[in-house]
Structure formats: structure tokens, C-alpha cells
């Protein structure tokens, strides 16, 4: 029997392409928010002995985790054979260290919560820093897929004579892979973050070509300040207006408007978080990544 894919809470646009790629039947769970802010979760069909895959949009996790927990526990109580979680965007990974005494190591604590509710997890380009492998903090199998091929192929078809630009050291992993597949040169800039909205990027290396279209590549656009600072440096150096390509478009607050105001010509993201900038579909990558996990049950 095919697994059952439930998109929750709310429907992520990639649910349909993912169900086709797996393939999976699609199931329904509903969420009602009571006026006092509490949630009522209902599973809409029999799940006994079925492999269930929950596709979850976990942007805004503080609000979305509790209904997801209720769903997972209910699926278990209703007899699901196995419950997997696809969280295309996995939040809380940046708080992966006790930076000050008494601070919560949220990455580990959040991983512990998800590990209690699900049998496996799949995600796209998790923001790993001090944690090298998600299974260091998750007690369940974690399938990770990478969007670099999608970003490279999009750039190849959409941008003439690109120069791939990484805004900081951490971006090397994406930038190298994207540049190699796109057959384009790349440069990596140096960043210092002073606060949530305060980001400084050093001057461009002398050798940076000025006659190619810069394509800023990053994993996450949150406040947008990283790419805004990088775009400003590129413009000051006489480069053409840049294009921005990212895996996860969080776009916190005024991020998108602020990016547009810097003269960036286009922002392109993957559909790991539903947003009008989505132009790359990760469903094929995710379906391939979770195949071994589904077979295991
Ligand atoms: C940094 O480590 C990440 O790769 C991104 O550059 C960062 O999270 C982007 O954040 P923001 O858009 O808030 O500058």
C-alpha cells in the first residue's frame, strides 16, 4: 500500500508534486484555532497500519509545533504503522550552542521533541554549523537533501554570464557546488554580524570580475540583511545589479521590501517555505531522499 501524505498545518504547495513523486495517497488532517488560541486537531481518515508522512511547514515553529505534536500523537494512537516528518525548512538550528550561561540550546531541545513524536525526519539543506550531522541531536534517522543542483540549473537557464557570490564563509558549501554545476566562477565574501539587523560585509576581493551578473547564493534569507549588505558591496564595486538565490525564503519583517530597495533584480527561492519568490521545486529531491526510509518500514 502507498504511504499516506498529510500536509499539516495548512497545505504546502509542494504537497501535490511530492505526492506524485513518491508516490503517496494524500490524507487530510484539520486544524481549528479556538478564539482563545488553543488548537483542535482532527485526523480525517483511517490510518491504522498505514505509513504516514506528515509534510509540515515549520516556519513560525513556536505556533506550529504544538498542533503538530497533537497530530503525531493522535496518528500513533489511531494505529499508524510509522510516522515520518518532512520539514522542508527545519527551524531552530542556529541556536546550536549555549552562547551565554543559562541559555537554552534550542536546536538540541527541539530535535528531542521531534524525535519523540516521529520515526524519521527528512529536510532540505538544514542550517548546520556546530552540529555537523543532524543525527548528533536527533534520535531518529534523518534524511538530508541539498538544493544546490536546483539552484545551479535555475541560474544556468535564467542568468547570462553569472558570477556566483557567497556572502560569508558558511556559504562556501552551497556556492562551490552551485558554481561547479552552473559552470560559473565564484567568489566568497567575508561577513561580520553585529546583531539581528546589523551585518557588515568586507570589500570585494580585487580579482572579482566586474563584467558578470552577480548571483548571491545563500541557504536562508531571514532579515535579508546579509544579502542587502553583500549587494551594496557589489554595487559599490561597479558590478551589475545582483540576483539573489536561496533555499529557504523566511523573509522576516520587511526583508523582501528592503532587498528590493537595494536594486536587486530578482529573488528566487525553493518551495521549502511557500512564498511568491518560489521558482524551484524540491519535491523530486525529497522523494528520492526518503525512499530508503519508507522502504525500511
Ligand atoms: C548565515 O549563517 C546564513 O547562512 C544566512 O546568511 C543568514 O541566516 C541570513 O540571515 P539574514 O537574512 O537575517 O541576514
Amino acid at each position: 500500500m502507498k504511504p499516506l501524505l498529510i500536509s499539516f498545518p495548512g497545505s504546502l504547495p509542494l504537497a501535490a508534486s511530492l505526492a506524485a513523486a513518491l508516490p503517496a495517497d494524500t490524507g487530510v488532517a484539520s486544524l481549528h484555532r479556538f478564539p482563545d488560541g488553543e488548537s483542535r486537531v482532527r485526523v480525517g481518515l483511517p490510518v491504522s497500519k498505514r505509513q504516514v508522512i506528515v509534510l509540515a511547514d515549520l516556519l513560525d515553529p513556536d505556533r506550529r509545533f504544538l498542533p503538530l505534536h497533537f497530530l503525531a500523537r493522535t496518528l500513533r494512537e489511531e494505529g499508524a504503522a510509522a510516522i515520518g516528518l518532512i520539514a522542508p525548512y527545519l527551524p531552530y538550528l542556529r541556536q546550536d550552542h549555549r552562547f551565554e550561561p543559562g541559555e537554552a540550546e534550542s536546536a538540541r531541545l527541539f530535535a528531542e521533541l521531534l524525535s519523540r513524536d516521529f520515526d524519521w525526519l527528512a529536510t532540505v539543506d538544514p542550517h548546520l554549523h556546530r552540529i555537523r550531522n543532524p543525527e548528533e541531536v536527533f534520535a531518529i534517522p534523518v534524511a538530508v537533501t541539498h538544493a544546490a543542483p536546483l539552484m545551479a540549473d535555475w541560474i544556468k537557464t535564467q542568468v547570462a554570464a553569472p558570477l556566483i557570490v557567497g556572502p560569508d564563509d558558511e556559504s562556501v558549501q552551497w556556492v562551490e557546488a552551485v558554481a561547479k554545476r552552473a559552470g560559473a566562477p565564484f567568489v566568497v565574501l567575508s561577513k561580520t554580524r553585529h546583531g539581528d539587523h546589523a551585518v557588515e560585509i568586507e570589500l570585494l576581493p580585487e580579482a572579482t570580475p566586474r563584467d558578470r551578473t552577480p548571483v548571491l547564493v545563500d541557504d536562508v534569507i531571514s532579515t535579508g540583511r546579509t544579502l542587502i549588505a553583500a549587494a551594496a558591496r557589489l554595487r559599490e564595486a561597479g558590478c551589475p545589479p545582483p540576483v539573489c538565490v536561496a533555499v529557504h525564503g523566511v523573509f522576516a519583517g520587511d526583508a523582501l521590501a528592503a532587498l528590493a530597495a537595494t536594486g536587486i533584480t530578482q529573488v528566487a527561492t525553493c518551495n521549502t517555505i511557500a512564498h511568491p519568490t518560489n521558482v524551484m521545486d524540491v519535491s523530486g529531491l525529497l522523494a528520492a531522499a526518503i525512499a530508503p526510509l519508507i522502504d525500511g518500514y
Side-chain angles (χ1 to χ4, degrees), residues 94 127 168 170 191 193 218-220 222-226:
R94 282 179 284 187
H127 185 90
D168 54 27
E170 281 184 48
K191 173 174 97 175
R193 185 179 279 281
D218 210 349
D219 61 335
V220 186
S222 182
T223 65
R225 266 51 191 185
T226 296

Side-chain angles (χ1 to χ4, degrees), residues 59-126:
L59 184 65
D60 195 2
D62 294 13
R63 202 170 64 88
R64 287 178 167 152
F65 173 73
L66 197 57
L68 184 68
H69 167 72
F70 292 154
L71 175 69
R73 292 298 297 264
T74 306
L75 289 167
R76 192 80 70 194
E77 288 167 9
E78 293 285 308
I83 312 167
L85 173 66
I86 300 181
Y89 170 66
L90 189 57
Y92 268 123
L93 286 173
R94 282 179 284 187
Q95 194 69 26
D96 63 353
H97 178 71
R98 198 183 306 284
F99 295 97
E100 300 282 343
E103 202 169 79
E105 267 184 69
S106 316
R108 178 176 51 79
L109 299 175
F110 190 59
E112 283 175 11
L113 289 174
L114 291 179
S115 300
R116 283 184 203 157
D117 285 345
F118 295 94
D119 297 307
W120 54 261
L121 167 75
T123 191
V124 183
D125 283 306

Side-chain angles (χ1 to χ4, degrees), residues 199-260:
V199 169
E200 206 179 326
I201 301 260
E202 279 181 16
L203 290 176
L204 259 56
E206 265 310 307
T208 306
R210 306 315 205 241
D211 56 346
R212 302 180 73 96
T213 302
V215 182
L216 282 157
V217 172
D218 210 349
D219 61 335
V220 186
I221 304 175
S222 182
T223 65
R225 266 51 191 185
T226 296
L227 296 187
I228 289 167
R233 282 297 186 222
L234 289 162
R235 295 315 308 276
E236 283 162 20
C239 298
V243 172
C244 294
V245 178
V247 183
H248 310 291
V250 169
F251 299 114
D254 69 347
L256 194 58
L259 276 164

